[in-house]
Every structure is written in structure tokens, then in C-alpha cells.
Amino acid sequence: TFNGTWKIDRNENYEKFMEQMGINMVKRKLAAHDNLKIIIEQTGDKFHVKESSNFRTLEIDFTLGVNFEYSLADGTELSGSWNLEGDVLKGIFTRKDNGKQLTTTRIVQGDEIIQSYNYEGVDAKRIFKRA
Ligand code: MYR
């Protein structure tokens, strides 16, 4: 289950990924240490996610398979959806500013959530531990 409170533990290739996203160096340095925490509450195919970081706090509601809007901390707007395939959450999002795709997956492994990202050929991971 994805339910619970998850705190960022470590990143893999996240700076390269952010660079590919066009995020400037100062913001990348800050974002690499954003103290991201997510609280996930899943009820059937509905999710409620509370996100908090050094940048902001926000709450997101989405239903599996249903498009919704999400803005990154730098204001970049995405539109897309999450789907569940087996135990894997798969997200396909489109940047509104340039139409390019950002794909992401979440899987629970032991006491960790591994979130993978891909944008324009660059992969990254952010790994969260259960709080
Ligand atoms: C959630 O489930 O937490 C809310 C929806 C997340 C949508 C997409 C996440 C992509 C985040 C990409 C971060 C890239 C920063 C450069």
C-alpha cells in the first residue's frame, strides 16, 4: 500500500533530470535538498496527497485514470494522470508550456517508495522512507 507518510531520503541523477527540465542551477541546488514529504491516502481509486517541502505545502486529489492539473514548485504546469498497473503507479504528464511528456512511476519496496522520472531521455529517482 502507498498509504502513509513518506520523507525524501535520497536522489539519483535528479540534478541532471532537473537540468533537462530547464531548471536553473540555483533552483536545482535548492530543489536537491527540498525536504520533500508526502502523505498519501488512497481510498479505492481515489488518492489524496499532502505534499510539503521547503518550497510549499499543497494538497492534491486525483482519481486513477482521470486527468488532473499539477504545478511544479517553479510554476511549470503539467496535466496528466496516474494509473495503477499491478503494484506500480504509472503517471503520464504533459508540460503545458511545451507539450513534452514527463513520465513517472511509484513503487513501494520494503519501507521505501521509489519514484522514477523520465523527461526527454533523462531518468532520475527520488527515494522516500516511511516516516
Ligand atoms: C502526487 O501524486 O504526488 C501529485 C501528482 C504528481 C504529478 C507529477 C509529478 C511529477 C513531478 C516531477 C518533478 C520534477 C521536478 C523538476
Side-chain angles (χ1 to χ4, degrees):
T1 172
F2 294 94
N3 284 340
T5 300
W6 304 90
K7 284 187 174 167
I8 190 70
D9 182 61
R10 60 195 188 276
N11 301 323
E12 291 177 12
N13 209 42
Y14 191 47
E15 294 223 20
K16 282 270 169 19
F17 175 81
M18 289 189 284
E19 189 174 357
Q20 186 75 339
M21 287 283 288
I23 295 168
N24 74 42
M25 190 182 70
V26 172
K27 288 183 185 168
R28 293 202 301 272
K29 295 293 172 198
L30 294 171
H33 304 281
D34 61 357
N35 289 311
L36 182 58
K37 182 174 96 173
I38 52 176
I39 300 172
I40 301 178
E41 294 165 16
Q42 179 186 4
T43 311
D45 61 354
K46 295 191 189 310
F47 284 73
H48 182 68
V49 179
K50 293 178 191 162
E51 171 185 324
S52 59
S53 70
N54 295 343
F55 299 116
R56 60 179 181 171
T57 66
L58 77 163
E59 304 198 13
I60 306 117
D61 286 288
F62 62 86
T63 301
L64 294 175
V66 178
N67 260 61
F68 65 100
E69 322 266 297
Y70 177 79
S71 295
L72 303 182
D74 72 347
T76 303
E77 293 180 19
L78 306 178
S79 166
S81 64
W82 285 109
N83 278 278
L84 199 53
E85 293 184 19
D87 293 337
V88 185
L89 267 177
K90 294 192 178 182
I92 302 180
F93 295 89
T94 302
R95 277 177 72 146
K96 290 190 178 183
D97 58 345
N98 66 10
K100 290 184 176 171
Q101 233 177 47
L102 188 162
T103 58
T104 176
T105 62
R106 280 183 178 137
I107 56 168
V108 175
Q109 264 181 19
D111 67 341
E112 296 185 335
I113 278 184
I114 301 173
Q115 183 159 7
S116 302
Y117 304 90
N118 178 277
Y119 180 74
E120 292 288 299
V122 177
D123 291 305
K125 283 184 185 163
R126 304 201 78 187
I127 296 137
F128 300 78
K129 280 199 185 292
R130 208 179 264 285

